[in-house]
Amino acid sequence: MWWVCVSDVFDVNLIIKQILKLAKCEDLDYKPKDQLESLLSMKKYLLVLDDLWNEDRLEWLKLGEWLKGGLQGSKILVTTRSHKVATVMDAKSDIHVLDDLSEGKSWDLFRKMAFGDGVELLDPELEKMGRDIVKKCTGVPLAIRTIGGLLYGKNKDEWVRYKVHELPKIKEIDAVSGGIMQVLKFSYDHLPSCLKHCFAYCSLFPKDYVYDKDMMIHLWMAQGFIESCNREDNLEEVADNYLSELLYRSFLDVESTSKNGDVVLRFKMHDLMHDLAQKVAEGECKIVHFREADNDQGIRHASFISEILSEEKLVSLLKTSKLRTFLYLKGESSKLFFGRSSSVLNNSHKVFSRCGHCRALCLHHANISLPPSSLGKLKHLRLLHISKNQSIQSLPDSITDLVNLQTLKLSYCRLQTFPRDLRKLVKLRHLLIEYCISLSQLPPLSELPSLRTLSLVFLYALKFIQQTSDPKPSNTTIPFFQSLERLTLSCCERLEGWQGRMQEMGVHQKHRSDNSWPSFPKLQFVHINDCPHLNSIPSFPHVEDLRIDSTKMLEQQLMANPNCPSEGIVEATFIPFPKLKYLTVFKSYARREPFMLRTLLQSASNLEYLTISRFNLRSLSCVMQHLSLLKELNIRYCCRGLDLSYQEDEHGSQWQCLTNLHVLTIKGCSKLVALPKGIQHVTTLRFLKISSWSRLRCLPEWIGNFSLLEELELIGCTFLEHIPFEIRNLTRLKKLVIHNCSSLDEGCLADVHIPIIDWKSYSYDSDPGLDSDGSPFPFV
């Protein structure tokens, strides 16, 4: 299936390119039409063209000619808000008009949005007003959600005011006419001003764009949209609350979340909401196309998606505007053209010299140099994001003059060196350096007083994060990374340690132990993977979320504690990480590592989420009794050693201690022939998933003991032959998923009444090295 968002511009060539990109077969060396014919000749496809507005039948017929080559059974599904658009399709097409929500379902949705879940008794007056409002919405879900979200938490007097004075101004809602837009505008007008700015700013990105939460928060902060009650407020947390409010009020929609579902990672915007954002941001925010008829003068926030930016038109725009946002968003195949390499410096100077009011500068795939003479003059700049710029081998020293800079992100650049005087960036909060494979040296980052996030990814040449000519710790009074909260070290294959000497060390000299340095006082999130030579790092005793691919670092952290027990002796009072709640360990086969992991687990009394992947651990029996607060246990690809039934006692008492376990996932464990008997005592389970490679032949009869189980997934269990009758005892089971269980007869569920039974004979199970969203593990 291919899903293409068409929206306002119906461009046949662009649609074809998007299909080829989704099919992962785009090759610029061949004509798109030839590629498409080759692709369709081998496939039966479902193509979804979403939000179509084209009323030109000739354009539609042109696209239809390109899509004729699919195998029998291929379908094209078009969504549109215009009946006229539907009529220009083929006469044989089936037109399905979606019905409005029924009165009962409309009230259920409004009640949930306006009063929250679980509210049984309502004030009779509020309920009557609510039902009158629902009638006004005429079954349009977006209108119901938006108005309900607006009224959530309001008192009775505010309800009366909205119903009596505001709603009568809105005509009956019609999803096609302007009625729905009036409702959305009405809800927007009642947003706090800070939320209005954040919402309107999203119009800088095209429809169907997937927004990265962290990046958008950094952009909002750069523009000063985040209001702090006092200087001690965490701006990122305030911005996250803004986002949650916009999500709840249905101005934005969640696209993806973290594994436990409590953290939003990416979000999207409904097309109607995008129309609203463009309407309310008119004159302030705009996607610039440089068309002759466009009036781009006077805008303050601009994004550019053109294949080629004209230097003349861009300079003309900058002359008449005081841009605060400059976003170049074009994809990988495009170029930002400012002339030949010999004149790049002069031409880029013309642009940067006119960006004196700019607060956010994003140059994606823009092959443009950073002129030293004008870069340092961008005194208001708070966010600088440069990616895939092959012209940059070093950052000019003038970057240290950007004293208001909050976010610096560099990726896929030929960067080799950094200015050493980076400590002048006293407001820098987020430093992300990714895929700069030639970068071998960093400045003293610990001297950045406001740094909260440090991400170093795919820095192949980097050996030490900090280098010094003094083998002893300095007597400085500045705390060691006094503000750092998040640390990511990934795919730095030559990285040896945190602190190194500037001169090459002699053969008989040893690296100074980084444990003699102070600990990170605020570090809460540590993610380390694919750094095979990393053998020392300062301790991080306050960590709450630890994701690490080798317990070599755990051993170094544990052994630094004088109370650490020796192998074979475990002291319950030993707690190296008293705040640890999330732990992910994976890809580890060294001899001592199972002991170090057991030592850690036996002392992690506050652990709530545990993921073990590809780990050489024979059994969990000896540590389960210490995990009484554990809510989620994920075991992945431990096929080399882990045996869940190993050394299990007759009563399975080690599982009985898991009195708070709600989620159990077992994936890719080839030794799994039967579920351990002890699991039957975990009666708190709400979600159970078994997938990939297991040799499980049948579910045990005691599966019916899980009275609280709400979801059961069986994926890729090709040996599974039987589901017991007792599955009918799972009265709270809302969803049963069975994918690619080829030995299982679908008739075994003939008498089972479950709200959702999702049965597929084949299901693609994600690659062991990737998470469900395609991200390299463990960045989930």
Side-chain angles (χ1 to χ4, degrees), residues 209-244:
Y209 187 85
V210 178
Y211 302 84
D212 178 82
K213 183 194 76 170
D214 289 340
M215 189 61 187
M216 281 305 300
I217 284 178
H218 296 164
L219 284 168
W220 290 344
M221 289 171 51
Q223 300 305 327
F225 296 157
I226 312 303
E227 298 179 356
S228 173
C229 296
N230 56 69
R231 293 184 177 181
E232 296 181 358
D233 283 348
N234 187 324
L235 293 179
E236 289 80 4
E237 290 183 3
V238 176
D240 197 67
N241 291 334
Y242 285 8
L243 176 61
S244 298

Side-chain angles (χ1 to χ4, degrees), residues 228-393:
S228 173
C229 296
N230 56 69
R231 293 184 177 181
E232 296 181 358
D233 283 348
N234 187 324
L235 293 179
E236 289 80 4
E237 290 183 3
V238 176
D240 197 67
N241 291 334
Y242 285 8
L243 176 61
S244 298
E245 186 72 14
L246 289 171
L247 288 168
Y248 187 82
R249 297 190 184 206
S250 299
F251 285 90
L252 303 172
D253 298 312
V254 175
E255 173 68 12
S256 64
T257 64
S258 59
K259 277 299 178 182
N260 53 16
D262 61 351
V263 178
V264 174
L265 301 178
R266 288 175 286 272
F267 61 90
K268 294 182 69 173
M269 179 180 283
H270 191 283
D271 289 345
L272 283 171
M273 285 297 184
H274 194 279
D275 292 340
L276 174 64
Q278 287 183 318
K279 179 180 178 64
V280 299
E282 189 174 2
E284 288 279 332
C285 307
K286 189 173 182 181
I287 299 176
V288 179
H289 298 284
F290 288 119
R291 299 189 184 102
E292 293 297 332
D294 287 349
N295 181 14
D296 298 323
Q297 297 182 1
I299 60 177
R300 306 188 82 180
H301 308 283
S303 61
F304 307 89
I305 314 180
S306 303
E307 288 287 341
I308 296 178
L309 281 185
S310 164
E311 176 195 338
E312 179 182 353
K313 291 181 178 180
L314 183 57
V315 172
S316 175
L317 169 65
L318 294 173
K319 281 182 179 179
T320 57
S321 303
K322 295 182 178 180
L323 281 187
R324 293 193 173 186
T325 301
F326 186 117
L327 305 180
Y328 184 67
L329 303 175
K330 198 55 189 174
E332 296 181 7
S333 61
S334 63
K335 301 290 183 183
L336 178 56
F337 180 72
F338 283 102
R340 298 182 180 276
S341 58
S342 60
S343 58
V344 164
L345 183 61
N346 293 331
N347 291 333
S348 62
H349 172 73
K350 290 182 181 179
V351 174
F352 283 104
S353 62
R354 289 176 171 83
C355 291
H357 295 84
C358 199
R359 295 188 172 194
L361 180 60
C362 296
L363 300 174
H364 295 251
H365 314 285
N367 197 21
I368 176 175
S369 61
L370 300 178
S373 58
S374 54
L375 180 65
K377 296 179 180 179
L378 305 183
K379 299 295 185 181
H380 298 285
L381 197 65
R382 287 162 170 77
L383 183 147
L384 177 59
H385 182 186
I386 302 173
S387 66
K388 296 198 173 180
N389 189 325
Q390 301 304 308
S391 296
I392 297 180
Q393 296 187 5

Side-chain angles (χ1 to χ4, degrees), residues 138 192 203 255 277 302 505 600 740 748 762:
T138 63
S203 64
E255 173 68 12
M505 301 186 74
L600 173 62
N740 197 24
C748 67
Y762 175 79

Side-chain angles (χ1 to χ4, degrees), residues 711-715 735-739 756-759:
E711 189 168 339
L712 173 61
E713 292 191 8
L714 304 169
I715 300 176
K735 186 175 182 180
L736 173 62
V737 177
I738 301 176
H739 289 178
I756 299 177
I757 300 180
D758 185 359
W759 187 300

